[in-house]
Each structure stands twice: as structure tokens, then as C-alpha cells.
Amino acid sequence: MRLDPATGWCHGVRHCPSVNFNERPAGEISLLVIHNISLPPGQFGTGKVQEFFQNRLDVTEHPYFAGIADLRVSAHFLIERDGAVTQFVSCLDRAWHAGVSSFEGRDTCNDFSLGIELEGTDELPFTEAQYRSLNALTEQLQAVYSAITTQRICGHSDIAPGRKTDPGPAFDWARYRAALEKGEGQ
């Protein structure tokens, strides 16, 4: 995969454009937020996350969907269990992934962050393929957006404590950070 700085789109990944985005107020990109998602919860490979981020989710297919029917959300990227990467929003635009949030005293993290969703749950370990893709994608993002240092990579739970718990205790932060330091995503 290769990130095109001029367009904010990655080549070599699936593109599944979402309408749930808008312009960044200042154009700054200095934070990376890691999330997890599965739809229905705990089920993988359903394609429902893609439908949800594109406002195409059939809310009659599962009881859980009725509770999220009115939400308009997106992330820049989704990494599925097999490591496949899908991009929904250009990195140059503001995806709607963080919600009410604050990082180092600065509110509204969507204004200056990129969001990566990992297909998973708080409790289930993420896959080898997901960590490989996450490392490679993170290195691409850091190469283009130098303000995203390792210290400026966090979980959704870090910027929305008490409201969000993802990526959860199953996410191996030490492994992820060590791989980034070694450049293992190349």
C-alpha cells in the first residue's frame, strides 16, 4: 500500500467511499486513533461495517442495528481479520470516528486525527494479519504526516474515557509500538 499525499487516498487498498465526512477546519493531521468494531457485535466478515459507514445498513437484519440506525459515522480505514484494508475517507478530510473527545487538553479530535478501525472486540485477540497491516498503514501515515509520532497514537478509550473502551484490553499496545520502532510494517 502507498499513501498519496496529494489526495489522501491509499493505493493498493480497497476504496469504499463514505459520505460521512467533512472538511478539516485547519487541515492539521497530528493524531492517530485506534478503534475496534464488529457488526453485529462479535461477528466478523459480515460486510456490515462497510454498509454502516456508507449509511446502507439494513436495520431489519439484526436487533442490534436498530440502536445504531440514526448514527452517521465513518473512519478513515478498516482493517479486517484477514488484514485486508479498506479506506472510507481521504486522510485530507475529517472522518466522524472520535465523537466527543479530547487529547492533551484539546477537544474535538476528529478535527486533527485519523481513525483506524480494527475488526474485532475489546476481549478477543486481534490477528497477526491485522497487526501486520496496521503496522504497514501506520508507517505510511507517519511518513506523510510527521506530526503523528508514536506518542500521538492512542486508543478511542484514551480520548473518550468513560464513554468508549476500544480498542480494549485485547489490543497489544506493546507489540504494536515495538514493531513501529523496528520498522516492521515495511
Side-chain angles (χ1 to χ4, degrees):
M1 80 182 75
R2 185 181 56 78
L3 178 61
D4 180 350
T7 66
W9 288 93
C10 268
H11 299 283
V13 304
R14 179 180 176 205
H15 292 173
C16 196
S18 173
V19 297
N20 300 330
F21 73 92
N22 56 2
E23 188 176 328
R24 289 184 189 277
E28 174 192 347
I29 300 169
S30 62
L31 181 68
L32 179 59
V33 181
I34 309 298
H35 304 261
N36 80 49
I37 191 170
S38 55
L39 291 175
Q43 295 183 29
F44 308 131
T46 64
K48 300 304 175 193
V49 173
Q50 291 87 336
E51 291 176 13
F52 181 48
F53 287 172
Q54 292 188 307
N55 303 335
R56 297 186 299 113
L57 187 63
D58 181 349
V59 298
T60 65
E61 287 184 17
H62 191 276
Y64 181 81
F65 297 165
I68 62 172
D70 294 329
L71 296 179
R72 297 294 174 252
V73 297
S74 62
H76 293 91
F77 300 94
L78 168 69
I79 300 176
E80 295 178 67
R81 302 297 284 182
D82 64 359
V85 178
T86 301
Q87 186 171 6
F88 297 93
V89 175
S90 164
C91 293
L92 302 178
D93 291 316
R94 176 172 50 186
W96 303 341
H97 61 96
V100 177
S101 54
S102 180
F103 182 79
E104 295 183 346
R106 186 171 174 195
D107 294 337
T108 317
C109 293
N110 284 339
D111 289 353
F112 56 96
S113 68
L114 298 173
I116 300 176
E117 295 275 2
L118 297 173
E119 187 178 37
T121 69
D122 286 7
E123 299 81 23
L124 293 174
F126 295 92
T127 67
E128 295 291 324
Q130 285 179 299
Y131 282 108
R132 280 193 304 275
S133 291
L134 179 60
N135 289 333
L137 178 56
T138 301
E139 289 179 4
Q140 282 289 306
L141 297 174
Q142 288 181 310
V144 173
Y145 307 110
S146 59
I148 300 177
T149 62
T150 304
Q151 296 74 30
R152 294 187 63 84
I153 299 173
C154 65
H156 199 185
S157 58
D158 298 314
I159 62 170
R163 188 174 71 82
K164 294 295 180 178
T165 59
D166 58 313
F171 184 72
D172 190 342
W173 283 103
R175 171 189 178 164
Y176 172 52
R177 292 184 191 284
L180 288 177
E181 289 175 14
K182 293 178 185 173
E184 292 179 1
Q186 312 236 358

